[in-house]
Amino acid sequence: MRQQEQDDGTASVEEKKAILLVEDNEDQVVLARRALRKHGITDEVDEIVVAGDGDEALDYLFGEGGYAGRDTSLTPEFVLLDVDLPGMSGLEVLEKVRSDERTELLPVILFSASNRHGDVVEGYKLGANSYV
C-alpha cells in the first residue's frame, strides 16, 4: 500500500496497488503469476486481480456488475491483457479502455500464446503499451 497525500500535505488513507490480469485459462494465470513473482513485480503490489474475460475486466475498471461500488479512482498499476479471450477479444477490451477518459492512459500490456503478427500491429494501433 502507498500513502496518498491530501491537499494540506498530510497523509490520508493508503491506496492499494494492484495489477489487473485478464486471462481465461487458469494454467496461463498460474504462469503469469509465476513470471510476475520471479521478476519481483508481486513485491511491489498489494494484489493481482484476475478477470476471466473482457466483460469482467471492464466491470472491474469501471465499477460495474460484480464490482459495483468499487472506488474506480484506484486504477491498477497496469493491465496484463490476453488477446484471445472468449466473447469480447482483448483487442476489443483495449479499444474500450482507450476510448474512456478514466482509463485512456492506463498502461496495457497485451500477451498471447499465438504468433499472429496482425494482432501485434492492431494492438499497437489501438494503444497498447507493449506486447509479449
Side-chain angles (χ1 to χ4, degrees):
M1 290 209 197
R2 59 182 165 189
Q3 290 190 338
Q4 197 172 27
E5 193 171 291
Q6 295 180 359
D7 290 337
D8 64 1
T10 61
S12 67
V13 291
E14 293 187 357
E15 181 181 324
K16 271 185 119 170
K17 292 172 69 173
I19 294 169
L20 176 58
L21 171 59
V22 188
E23 172 57 70
D24 62 308
N25 181 309
E26 188 58 38
D27 291 337
Q28 293 297 322
V29 170
V30 170
L31 289 173
R33 285 179 181 271
R34 185 177 300 151
L36 292 169
R37 186 172 39 257
K38 179 180 177 183
H39 294 284
I41 296 170
T42 56
D43 296 336
E44 302 296 320
V45 297
D46 298 301
E47 71 177 322
I48 298 173
V49 177
V50 178
D53 61 36
D55 289 319
E56 184 180 357
L58 294 173
D59 284 350
Y60 175 80
L61 290 171
F62 301 124
E64 298 170 354
Y67 295 97
R70 186 185 83 76
D71 183 356
T72 57
S73 69
L74 304 176
T75 59
E77 299 299 302
F78 63 88
V79 177
L80 191 54
L81 177 60
D82 182 15
V83 172
D84 299 312
L85 294 170
M88 183 186 314
S89 76
L91 294 175
E92 291 172 303
V93 173
L94 176 60
E95 190 170 20
K96 290 181 183 296
V97 166
R98 290 293 179 249
S99 69
D100 191 290
E101 66 182 19
R102 296 170 291 178
T103 54
E104 66 186 352
L105 299 177
L106 178 64
V108 176
I109 301 165
L110 294 176
F111 71 98
S112 177
S114 82
N115 208 8
R116 293 186 303 260
H117 181 70
D119 287 345
V120 176
V121 172
E122 187 63 20
Y124 281 122
K125 283 183 180 178
L126 292 171
N129 297 88
S130 187
Y131 194 106
V132 293

